[in-house]
Amino acid sequence: MDVRELVQEIARELLVATVQSAPRPKVLFLFCDSRAHDAYLDTFILLRNKGIDCDLAFLDGETSAWIGMHKCESTGVNKSIAMDEYAPAPLELPHSYEGIVIPEIDLDNAARIATGMKGSVKSEIVFAALLLDKPVWIGKDSGGIKRADRQTLKTLELTPGYAKLFRAHMDTLEGLGIRLIDRAELGAEVVRMFGSNDGDAAAESTPAMPAKPSAQRSLITADWVAAHAASLGGSLELDPKTIVSPLARDILKQQGIILQYTGKG
């Protein structure tokens, strides 16, 4: 392949890359505080492996973080959602996500959402998501007491009267179209709606996987990688003179495929 053809191929990849690659679905996880996400680290790995991105919002001191200052103090796995007075209000956040996940909810926020009241970050976000017809998942095995309140009051359970009220609000949430799921199953539910089964299909077809394709080519393109990625395994052996286009190199890196040049290890 001469230089002109090489330039044309690379230019074509750069121009159509955004069109060819479908955007990955992204969901927002809302947590009571900046330590509550530790129990869901495996869930984030599962979502990533299934082609789903997620951002995390930590609502430490949620009232002071929003009321009167029009902001939501948050941070994310891939980016910062909001950090200053120019940040989007909670009502605006659902526009950027395919769904909202609230692993744990308390009596106060459940009551606000069930009665259509605003005034907290969670109630604002859920209200907007439902109006935009986007899925909202809430952990149905929540205890009804905020993490901060549990630590302050040294108690884990609501009184019988409050517990009955909490269950009634949770039933109302389900009636509004909110999906109530056990917290341990939240990741699987998101995958069932948005996930890609490419990894599962590849695993099922492993016994019949074709032989590793030859890469004795002068140019490795993104199209070639897409066609052979499943059978490359974890490495691709190339001649030192082989040219790998920038987009193909990015795809190989995303797939975890290591480039090995003959004679270079």
Side-chain angles (χ1 to χ4, degrees):
M1 178 178 290
D2 61 27
V3 175
R4 180 177 299 178
E5 292 176 342
L6 173 61
V7 172
Q8 290 177 343
E9 182 69 23
I10 294 176
R12 184 184 67 83
E13 289 183 355
L14 294 176
L15 289 173
V16 303
T18 56
V19 177
Q20 290 180 336
S21 57
R24 290 161 59 98
K26 182 164 63 173
V27 297
L28 174 65
F29 276 75
L30 290 176
F31 290 103
C32 295
D33 60 53
S34 52
R35 295 179 296 172
H37 72 295
D38 287 343
Y40 298 90
L41 298 180
D42 288 346
T43 297
F44 305 145
I45 295 174
L46 170 66
L47 295 180
R48 180 181 179 86
N49 290 344
K50 293 298 183 178
I52 303 171
D53 293 328
C54 61
D55 286 341
L56 313 185
F58 303 125
L59 304 179
D60 302 81
E62 58 182 330
T63 301
S64 62
W66 171 51
I67 299 297
M69 297 196 299
H70 198 64
K71 70 173 181 177
C72 174
E73 289 183 351
S74 310
T75 186
V77 173
N78 298 318
K79 67 172 186 177
S80 293
I81 298 172
M83 293 298 290
D84 55 33
E85 66 272 17
Y86 300 105
L91 194 69
E92 301 172 291
L93 287 179
H95 281 295
S96 303
Y97 299 93
E98 300 300 321
I100 306 297
V101 183
I102 304 177
E104 185 176 6
I105 197 165
D106 55 90
L107 175 61
D108 173 64
N109 279 288
R112 288 178 179 274
I113 297 170
T115 56
M117 293 180 61
K118 299 180 182 180
S120 73
V121 173
K122 287 182 179 178
S123 63
E124 289 277 338
I125 290 177
V126 171
F127 176 80
L130 292 178
L131 290 188
L132 294 173
D133 197 26
K134 295 189 175 183
V136 177
W137 292 273
I138 291 179
K140 69 178 182 181
D141 50 343
S142 300
I145 309 177
K146 289 186 178 73
R147 284 167 55 93
D149 291 346
R150 295 200 298 267
Q151 295 170 4
T152 300
L153 301 176
K154 306 303 180 184
T155 184
L156 300 176
E157 297 180 355
L158 293 169
T159 63
Y162 276 131
K164 182 179 179 180
L165 182 61
F166 181 65
R167 289 193 298 269
H169 288 320
M170 294 293 278
D171 290 340
T172 302
L173 297 186
E174 193 167 27
L176 293 174
I178 296 172
R179 296 161 168 83
L180 301 183
I181 306 295
D182 286 337
R183 283 177 284 179
E185 299 297 325
L186 286 171
E189 284 294 320
V190 175
V191 168
R192 273 192 279 272
M193 177 165 287
F194 299 122
S196 168
N197 293 321
D198 293 344
D200 296 337
E204 293 174 1
S205 61
T206 299
M209 184 175 290
K212 191 171 182 178
S214 171
Q216 301 302 314
R217 301 165 55 88
S218 58
L219 173 66
I220 299 296
T221 66
D223 291 338
W224 188 91
V225 174
H228 299 90
S231 55
L232 288 177
S235 63
L236 175 61
E237 186 173 329
L238 300 174
D239 185 272
K241 296 181 180 180
T242 299
I243 299 173
V244 182
S245 72
L247 182 56
R249 191 177 294 274
D250 290 341
I251 295 175
L252 289 167
K253 184 177 181 180
Q254 292 173 1
Q255 297 286 338
I257 299 172
I258 300 173
L259 293 178
Q260 294 181 337
Y261 290 93
T262 305
K264 292 187 176 181

